[in-house]
Amino acid sequence: MKVVILCGGLGTRLREETEYRPKPMVPVGGRPILWHIMKHYASFGHKEFILCLGYKGEVIKDFFRNYHWNTSDVTIKLGANAEPVYHNAHDEEDWTVTMVDTGEKTMTGGRLGRVLPFIEEEEFLLTYGDGVTDVSIAKVVDYHRAKGADVTLTAVRPGGRFGELGLDEGMVTSFMEKPEDSPAYINGGFFVMKKAAIKGLIPGDDCILERGPLETLSKTGRLAAYTHDGFWQCMDNVNEMAMLNTLWNSGKAPWKSW
């Protein structure tokens, strides 16, 4: 299955780090958080990625264009036409990464709509470019198919400030972006989607995935939720970035599935 990752937002709440790079490129343990997300998917056999670029997308393009250079020790002679010698092998040789400029001001649903032509299969995976988890992607896919849903999201339990999901026997009955009370389960991303179902719900670039398509699917009983009580953490601010780096540097990062 192809994996679509939303990488185009401005990351305004992490402005200290995102003034010169997009949020998915903010490092955790010396590698972009985007790399950690991709490594998790790849550990479940999903190695075809479609990155929805927007704000400072050229930084992401440069990273993957120069992947060996960015991730290896290297020796280079300073003569004319000298070829660098890379001293590190890596496990990403079989990845395919398609990077699509989906516009700097395009909303999340609009970004997805722009990359649907790159997806030939009936089903695909989608997530945000700023959160990590230890959820089993295989179990989310199996659950999605068992439920016969059009879209399945991963429902997680974080602290406050996120929108709450109403759940009934594994199906989403309400999709509230910012309720006043503390949430129970919230949308943690890590979706499985049917292309035909989601395509008809995206009218254009102004479509916000969470307010239009997902709300519509929840009202019609077509949006499922795989509840995950394990680790999940987004990176919205400096404190969350520091916490993820501390976990990684301790050697006990819960999301490290590879």
Side-chain angles (χ1 to χ4, degrees), residues 124-137:
F124 65 95
L125 306 168
L126 173 120
T127 197
Y128 305 103
D130 62 355
V132 288
T133 184
D134 62 356
V135 71
S136 167
I137 302 300

Side-chain angles (χ1 to χ4, degrees), residues 67-155:
Y67 192 78
H68 278 288
W69 185 266
N70 288 318
T71 61
S72 300
D73 296 329
V74 60
T75 296
I76 185 167
K77 292 184 178 181
L78 300 183
N81 303 317
E83 288 293 327
V85 177
Y86 299 103
H87 300 288
N88 305 71
H90 61 75
D91 297 327
E92 293 79 59
E93 296 282 357
D94 55 350
W95 288 12
T96 300
V97 184
T98 300
M99 291 166 278
V100 182
D101 182 2
T102 56
E104 188 163 316
K105 297 182 179 180
T106 306
M107 298 292 102
T108 49
R111 294 190 192 282
L112 175 56
R114 288 207 189 186
V115 303
L116 287 178
F118 293 87
I119 302 171
E120 300 84 13
E121 301 83 357
E122 294 181 1
E123 294 176 322
F124 65 95
L125 306 168
L126 173 120
T127 197
Y128 305 103
D130 62 355
V132 288
T133 184
D134 62 356
V135 71
S136 167
I137 302 300
K139 289 183 179 179
V140 180
V141 172
D142 289 345
Y143 183 86
H144 169 77
R145 292 171 177 171
K147 280 291 185 180
D150 287 339
V151 171
T152 296
L153 57 79
T154 301

